[in-house]
Amino acid sequence: MGANSSSICELPENEYLKRLSGAEAVSENDPFWNQLLSFSFTAPTSSAELKLLEEATISIFKSLVENNPRTGNLGALIKVFLSRTKELKISAECQNHLFIWQAHNALFIICCLLKVFICQMSEEELQLHFTYEERKPGSYGVECEDLIEELLCCLIQLIVEIPLLDITYSISLEAVTTLVVFFSCQLFHKEILRESVIHKYLMRGRCLPYTSRLVKTLLYNFIRQERSPPPGSHVFQQQTDGGGLLYGFASGVATGLWTVFTLGGVGSKPAPQQEQSSPLANQSLLLLLVLANLTDAPDTPNPYRQAIMSFKNTQDSTAFPSPSPHAFQINFNSLYTALCEQQKSDQATLLLYILLHQNSNVRTYMLARTDMENLVLPILEILYHVEERNSHHVYMALIILLILTEDDGFNRSIHEVILKNITWYSERVLTEISLGSLLILVVIRTIQYNMTRTRDKYLHTNCLAALANMSAQFRSLHQYAAQRIISLFSLLSKKHNKVLEQATQTLRGSLSSDDSPLPDYAQDLNVIEEVIRMMLEIINSCLTNSLHHNPNLVYALLYKRDLFEQFRTHPSFQDIMQNIDLVISFFSSRLEQAGAQLSVERVLEIIKQGAVALPKDRLRKFPELKFKYVEEEQPEEFFIPYVWSLVYNSAVALYWNPQDIQLFTMDSG
C-alpha cells in the first residue's frame, strides 16, 4: 500500500485490519485506534462497490468472528466510537474535521462488520459478540446487552442532534445506514419478526424518548433532499504545499500505510444519477418506512407509527389530544412539496400512502390544497406507465387515489382544474382537459391493461371503486373521457358474450361426453357480471346526479345505445338499467324530432336543452356509491416484505447476497 492509494485487493493484508481481527486483544486506550481510523477513502456509492469491498475483506470478517470471543475487539471498537461521539456536536460547531473524520471511519467499519455478522449468525450469537471482553474470554458480565442499546441510542442521538453540515453529512448518512443494517435481520427470516432484541430496545429502552425527534429528523432529511457534499469536503486532501497541520497529523498517525483507497478508481466520478440524488434523503426515508412498519409489541404499540399518525402542521396552534406521547410538528407545505416532487420512487409513494391513510392532519391539509394537481399528476403518471412499474407501486398509487376520492370536495375540485398539453399521455393529444377527466382516462386505461395482461381482481375492484366514488361529482367530462367510459363498457360486454358462448358450447359438448371435467365458466361469468354491474352503476350515478353537467357522456351513450339492449331484460341488471334506458329513450326521441343529418354541435345543443327539460323525479334514486379503503387484516404480511424489498433494491451502498435472502423471493422482491 502506497502513501496515496491502496488497492482493494491489498486490504486482507492490511496490518491494522489484521490486528483488529487477530488473536490479540486491543485495549480501548491503545494508540492503534488512531492509526486504524485515520484513513481517507471514496465511500461506496452503490451496492456493487460495497460488494467488491466485502468480497475483498471476507477473510478479515472470518478471522474476527473466530477471534472476537477471546479478544472482545468488536466491543472495544464500538466503545472507542462511543467515546468519540460524546464530543461530536462540539466538533461540528468548531469545524473539527479530524475528530468527525475518525468517528465516521469508526462507524463505517462497525456498519460493515455488523452487516456481515447479521447475515451470518442468529440474533443470540450477535448479542454474544457485543458482550465479549478481554478480561473474561468467552463469557460476559453485567454489561451483557447494554452495548447494543448504547450503540443504538448513540446512533439516534447522532442523527437528531448533530447539525447537518458538509463535514457531518457522511457520518449522518452512516448513522442512518447502520440503523437500517441493525433491522436487516428481517431479510434472513421468512416469517415476520415480532419480538427481536432490536425492536425491544427501540420501543421500550433508552431510545424511546427520542422517538418523535427521530421521526421528525428523518422526515426533514427527506424534505430537504440535501445532496452529498463535493468529494473532499469531509476528508483530508493533501495540498500542493505539503498539506496543513491537520493533514500532517492525520498522515502521521496513519504512518503512510492506510491513507486512501477508492472503490471506483482514484479520481473517478460518480454516475450522473448519483450526482443528482440525495443519499441521506433516500436512506432516511427507507429507515422511516422500516420504523413505521415494525410490528407492535405484545403490550406496546409501535411508537414510531404513533408519531407518524399524530404529527401536526407547524401552523396548527391547537393542542394535541391527550395522550400524545410522541407528537411533534412539522412544516406541511415543505412536506407536501417534497412528496409531489419525489413520486417517481416506490418509497415516496409508500410514504404518501402511509400519511394519507394514517395521519388525519396530513390528509385534511392535502385535501384542502388548491394545487392538488401537483400531487395527483405524478400518481396518474405512475398508473399510466403501469407496464414499467412493479405491481406494489401501482397498488399504492391506486389506493392513494381511492383514499382521495373518498372526499366529495376532492371529487368536485378536480373537475375545476384545467390542464394543458399532457405530454406523457400518448394515446391522444390532450391540449386541454380537466384533472378529473384525465384521472378517469388513466384509471380506465389501467382497467383495460389489467383485463388483457395481469387479470388481477384486486386491481379491478380498486379502480372501479375510485370511479364509483367520483361518479356523482362528474362535471363537464371531456368527450374523450366520456367515450372511454362507454368503450370500457363495450369491451366488458364483448367479454361477457364470449364467455357466455364458451359456456354454452362446452355444456352442449358435455352432453355427449361424460369423462371430461367442465371448465368453471360460471365463476368467470359471475366476475364479469359484477364488473358490468359496477360500470352500469357508475354511469347511472352520473346520470342521476349530474346529467345536465355531462352532455358528452349522454352523447357517447346515445352513439353506442345498441350496447345496452341485451342488458335491459337481464335479471342481474334490470333495476340499474331503468334510468339508463329512460335517458336513452328520452334523448333519442328529441333527436328524432329534430330531424336527420344533425351536426355534432347541434346534437350536443339538443342534449343540453333536453337535460334541463327532463323531470328529475323520473329518474329512480339508488343508494349513493361510496367505497372506503380498508386495510387488510395483518397488513404487516404485505408491507414488511414490501419495505424490505425497497431497502434491498434502493438503499445507498448496501449489498446483500440474493442467495441469503429469506423474506421474499428475488422475483417478487
Side-chain angles (χ1 to χ4, degrees), residues 318-329:
T318 59
F320 281 102
S322 183
S324 299
H326 307 297
F328 63 92
Q329 291 180 290

Side-chain angles (χ1 to χ4, degrees), residues 236-290:
F236 297 95
Q237 299 287 319
Q238 189 164 10
Q239 307 298 321
T240 53
D241 61 359
L245 176 63
L246 285 176
Y247 181 83
F249 175 69
S251 297
V253 296
T255 63
L257 293 173
W258 174 242
T259 310
V260 180
F261 73 87
T262 62
L263 293 165
V266 177
S268 65
K269 291 185 177 180
Q273 63 269 28
Q274 293 169 346
E275 291 178 347
Q276 297 300 317
S277 67
S278 170
L280 181 60
N282 181 71
Q283 218 85 326
S284 294
L285 178 53
L286 291 172
L287 176 57
L288 184 64
L289 294 174
V290 169

